[in-house]
Amino acid sequence: MKTFLYVAFILIFSSSYAQEVKGKISTEAGPLYPASILVAEKSKTVTNDRNGNFSIKLEPRVYHLEISSENYSPKHISVTVSNKNVDLGNIIIGQEEKLDEVVLEYYTSGEKKAIEMRQKSNAIMDVVSADAMGKMPDISAAEAVQRIPGVSIDRDQGEGRYVTVRGTPSQWSSATINGDRMPAAKTSGDLLGNRTVPMDLLPTEFLEYIQVIKAITPEYEGDAIGGTINYIPKFSPKKETLRITGSIPVNLRADDKVGFNSTVLYGNRLFNKKFGFLVMSNYNRRTYSTDDYEVVYGNELHNVNTLDVRNYQGVRTNTGFNAATDFRFNKRNKIYARGYYSQFLDEEDNRKTMHYFNKTTSNAVLRWSTVDYLFKNYGGEFGYESKLTDKLKMNAKVAAYTSWAGYNGPSSATKNDRGYYYGNWIQTVKYGNMVKVDGKDYKFLQGDGPAGYVGDPANNIQPHFVATYDPEKYYLDRYVTSIRNVEEKDKVAALDFDYDANKDLKIKFGGKFRDKTSTYDYRYITWIYDTKAPKAYLNQWEREAFPSNNWFPELNNTYDNLKFNYPTERSFIDPMGNPAIAKNLKYNYQDATNSSYATGNYDATEKVWAGYASGEWDLNEDFRLVGGVRYENTAVDAKSYEFNDITKVVTPVYGTKNYGAFLPMAHLIYKPSQKLDLRAAVTRTFARPAFNELSPSTRVNPDNHTVVEGNVDLKPTFSWNYDVIGSYYLNKSDYITGSAFYKNLSDLIYTQSHDEIRTVGGETFLYKVSKPLNSDNAFLYGFEVGFNKKFSELPGFLSCFSLKGNYTFTKSQTTLEERGDEKIGLMNQSPNIFNASLIYEYKGFAARLAANYREAFLVEIRDNPGADRYQDKDFHLDMNLSYTTSNKITFFIDLNNLTNQELGYYHGVVSRPEQVEYYGIRGRAGASYRF
């Protein structure tokens, strides 16, 4: 910080060599106010006063000024500054140059506007526009943002879901919509209960821009160690706009191969352009199929305990609405309202067999699960913008957002009892290819186990049945419905002011209040088959053929020996639907009042008060210093439950946490010319613990034998961030950039897990117990390089090519006390990320090929370092082909995952796979019309 101030002090004196350039902006009717004067060579903008007058200091040379005002096209003039002041006199902008289409011509595409936003922002950011998103085969906000330097995504069923910035855990980055933190609710996965927002909720068609702010300024929310990802939905257009898109998504791997996608958008300005509005709807139904095998190992010997082989067939449907409106009373006052609704329904059928090599009875399990995941995210804001005086602007707004996650089925259940539903059939089999270690039989993969033992290869792990495998011997164990209803609600009020103290100093200050509630409702219903009754074998259910004719083609159909006729969904969707079986079922309802499942429930409230102040000081024509501070106070109240397994009594437990975050920030910006932009920043940011981490609860899942404990004493993670970046703009659409960053982290939160024998509901099993803890300090550093270039200067067809690319390197280190002060990297941090897009555009035709590579990285820390869980490297290749006719109809084809990249996780080393999923290639073909 001292260095920044010292440099600023020295640079003040350099302005003494500059001369004053002044003038007056007018129309034929008189002075024009407000108007902006951009000095192209300096990327510096000033605003005139109410009398139309402006003044700017410039060093001797030739400059090009661009003068613009709302409802007028820009006017360009040249000025030569020598050793004396320059008076440009009265500069007239003619009324006949009035507007909209000329302005749109100036910004010939949203991509150029996005680059301009990047240039003009005081924060260090990258921006992707609706134009750029529309040119790539990306269906969601998550997939669109992966094209930005330093950003990677996690996928579910082959589609992008969670976003990671600069290799930091996804919950370290704020997902905001119009600047407000989005609430997060999820029902499944490793990120259950934390603040990460599943971004497959937002279709790309909803969005006008995505900003990834990597070094924030004080007006941005401070919980942004990785960065802030700000999603800006489409807003009221400047003129009448109509867009209609329809397409047919296709997935040849799926049983149901074809879906439907449509988007309709209409907007206009009425009442002498004072009132603007936009409405749009989006519907996207697509199918998927996934082949998946999963392996569970012992932590010490790395023996194979379980082989789980699956087939998923599903349909995903996004439904959404977006609306925006504004009313401009005059040039000084405007009100606006924006709102959206987004729903994501994932109807998934999962057929699988699980083989437990560490058990001697009931060791083969057939599970047929049907689940309709339902996610909703909606909200809106109402605001008032006013220019209170010539120097003071105000923006006041209130907003409310809701995120809900639960289930839409099964159809046989009442709405309150819908959840993850499955039938469990079991049998006892004998497995071969086992070896004795200390008197006990174990199974290993190749390279593991005692000398002389030959295990299965990683891509062909088999049960090795001693006798013929007979699926007809599976008999009913139980039906289960696992119910989770998760909801977060945010109420927000914010007030922001911009004050122009003088032509060289601007001051921003304001505050925000957020009241968040988070609830987690966890219940469990079982229908257990009486073990004393005659066994109910598979032949008592209606049957159907296995849904995939070509199962695991990538592995030469190695698991076809596990295919057989499964029960139909309609034959078991209603547990009591078969009278012969229903009479032997015992019904058990477990919730927050009567069972260990109470420990999975919590209610929490979080109140955040935030205030900030910052100054933007133009030291001279080339240097700008931006500095300030933000303070956020967070108060959390949480309620959960304890369950006594002996007395069967449920007792409420409470926890509170109150902490403050003092966040100073400073940015130094140096722009010696219109093309060169150099920046340095020092910022302090933080990451709040998640509600599930703070909850004073012990969440037990007897279904998959896991226990997740909370820790109300967790501290937030803080980070001092140091950034330098240089960008060189060749023109308004081409640039090269490079940056380096370093983060000094304290009170890291990580999940520590270990195996433990526990008795739950009278049954004793080996459970995986996980608990969040604060670790020692850590650091992270890296660099990014990127470029964006259209080769228009090349001869012939080569002039039609463009190339975009970026590369990010990150490295980190922290200390684990529980593992003897072992040094490891951060979780979810890929050391190397690469993106590239090759684009060919000629007249109406365009072809775009986009590549994305991410190196392997750590995702879970376990008590034995050789057992840590990693996600394997991946390389995705996507393509878009389009042709636009003269009447503005565009025909297009999108293809995703041309490399047929699988999703892989491994146990310590890549030769021990823990989970491998194959998705195949997906695509869509369609047409769109724009007016």
Side-chain angles (χ1 to χ4, degrees), residues 171-174 181 193-196 221-225 490 512 514 516 606-610 630-636 657 659-661 663 685-694 714-718 747 749 774:
Q171 63 269 27
W172 284 8
S173 296
S174 290
R181 193 72 145 90
N194 79 3
R195 299 176 187 270
T196 305
E221 299 208 17
D223 53 340
I225 291 178
D490 285 4
K512 178 179 285 189
R514 181 172 63 247
K516 177 189 287 288
E606 180 182 80
K607 290 180 170 54
V608 177
W609 294 265
R630 184 179 185 90
Y631 181 80
E632 299 192 14
N633 184 82
T634 305
V636 179
K657 187 71 175 179
Y659 53 90
L663 310 172
T685 53
F686 75 113
R688 294 183 176 92
F691 288 118
N692 66 315
E693 294 172 332
L694 288 171
L714 279 178
K715 303 174 185 177
T717 301
F718 282 91
D747 291 317
I749 297 173
N774 286 111

Side-chain angles (χ1 to χ4, degrees), residues 583-603:
K583 66 182 180 180
N584 296 317
L585 293 175
K586 180 182 178 181
Y587 175 79
N588 190 15
Y589 191 100
Q590 298 170 292
D591 62 10
T593 67
N594 65 358
S595 73
S596 61
Y597 293 93
T599 63
N601 290 263
Y602 66 78
D603 294 277

Side-chain angles (χ1 to χ4, degrees), residues 801-816:
F801 280 96
S802 301
L803 185 63
K804 300 179 181 180
N806 58 75
Y807 165 75
T808 304
F809 169 81
T810 53
K811 185 175 178 59
S812 63
Q813 183 177 288
T814 187
T815 302
L816 292 182

Side-chain angles (χ1 to χ4, degrees), residues 205 328 420 483 588 835:
E205 289 92 343
R328 301 173 182 175
Y420 187 108
I483 303 167
N588 190 15
N835 284 289

Side-chain angles (χ1 to χ4, degrees), residues 43 68 106 181 300 363 567 658 685:
S43 296
S68 58
Y106 180 70
R181 193 72 145 90
E300 298 298 329
N363 52 9
N658 193 302
T685 53

Side-chain angles (χ1 to χ4, degrees), residues 66-356:
E66 179 184 288
I67 301 167
S68 58
S69 181
E70 187 176 9
N71 296 328
Y72 294 88
S73 64
K75 183 159 187 165
H76 300 268
I77 62 174
S78 298
V79 57
T80 301
V81 179
S82 56
N83 58 356
K84 61 181 180 179
N85 297 336
V86 178
D87 187 349
L88 297 174
N90 198 20
I91 303 169
I92 303 295
I93 295 182
Q95 290 282 1
E96 69 276 3
E97 296 184 275
K98 206 172 182 176
L99 179 189
D100 286 336
E101 294 188 13
V102 178
V103 174
L104 291 175
E105 286 177 8
Y106 180 70
Y107 296 119
T108 55
S109 73
E111 293 176 275
K112 291 183 179 180
K113 178 65 176 177
I115 293 174
E116 181 187 346
M117 292 170 66
R118 183 181 190 270
Q119 286 180 286
K120 289 187 174 181
S121 172
N122 288 328
I124 295 175
M125 70 165 62
D126 287 294
V127 185
V128 60
S129 69
D131 284 355
M133 287 183 266
K135 293 178 179 179
M136 292 296 173
D138 301 326
I139 64 173
S140 70
E143 294 185 351
V145 79
Q146 71 174 316
R147 313 295 178 187
I148 290 177
V151 178
S152 59
I153 61 173
D154 294 329
R155 301 175 190 270
D156 182 76
Q157 303 296 359
E159 296 182 359
R161 171 159 290 180
Y162 300 115
V163 179
T164 296
V165 181
R166 285 181 165 175
T168 61
S170 54
Q171 63 269 27
W172 284 8
S173 296
S174 290
T176 63
I177 189 160
N178 288 321
D180 293 325
R181 193 72 145 90
M182 297 177 68
K186 300 170 288 295
T187 55
S188 64
D190 296 335
L191 302 180
L192 181 65
N194 79 3
R195 299 176 187 270
T196 305
V197 180
M199 291 317 305
D200 48 2
L201 277 166
L202 283 182
T204 52
E205 289 92 343
F206 267 24
L207 301 172
E208 192 66 31
Y209 298 102
I210 303 176
Q211 300 170 319
V212 178
I213 303 103
K214 299 172 182 177
I216 65 172
T217 45
E219 65 267 28
Y220 292 100
E221 299 208 17
D223 53 340
I225 291 178
T228 291
I229 309 163
N230 187 34
Y231 300 94
I232 303 176
K234 293 186 183 298
F235 38 78
S236 306
K238 293 183 177 181
K239 65 176 184 177
E240 186 176 18
T241 302
L242 173 66
R243 297 178 186 175
I244 301 174
T245 301
S247 64
I248 304 297
V250 178
N251 189 320
L252 297 178
R253 196 183 190 106
D255 187 34
D256 179 7
K257 298 183 178 356
V258 178
F260 179 69
N261 174 214
S262 68
T263 301
V264 179
L265 176 152
Y266 180 74
N268 206 346
R269 297 205 73 83
L270 307 174
F271 308 117
N272 198 27
K273 297 189 179 293
K274 288 182 177 291
F275 176 71
F277 70 92
L278 176 142
V279 291
M280 69 174 299
S281 66
N282 173 264
Y283 178 84
N284 186 6
R285 179 190 182 275
R286 67 271 185 204
T287 63
Y288 66 89
S289 176
T290 301
D291 299 334
D292 170 26
Y293 72 94
E294 302 187 13
V295 187
V296 177
Y297 299 86
N299 269 4
E300 298 298 329
L301 296 177
H302 310 301
N303 56 294
V304 178
N305 280 332
T306 306
L307 172 65
D308 179 349
V309 186
R310 310 180 180 188
N311 175 260
Y312 294 88
Q313 298 286 336
V315 178
R316 288 184 160 179
T317 306
N318 286 80
T319 307
F321 306 93
N322 183 29
T325 185
D326 66 84
F327 186 81
R328 301 173 182 175
F329 296 97
N330 48 51
K331 293 182 178 180
R332 302 176 71 93
N333 295 279
K334 180 179 82 170
I335 59 173
Y336 60 89
R338 304 165 186 151
Y340 72 97
Y341 175 88
S342 181
Q343 176 179 294
F344 176 64
L345 176 63
D346 186 358
E347 302 167 279
E348 176 185 287
D349 293 336
N350 178 10
R351 299 166 178 86
K352 64 180 177 180
T353 57
M354 297 176 285
H355 301 276
Y356 294 89

Side-chain angles (χ1 to χ4, degrees), residues 861-874:
I861 298 170
R862 294 167 176 161
D863 54 348
N864 179 2
D868 289 342
R869 182 175 171 89
Y870 291 82
Q871 182 171 329
D872 205 356
K873 64 180 183 297
D874 60 46

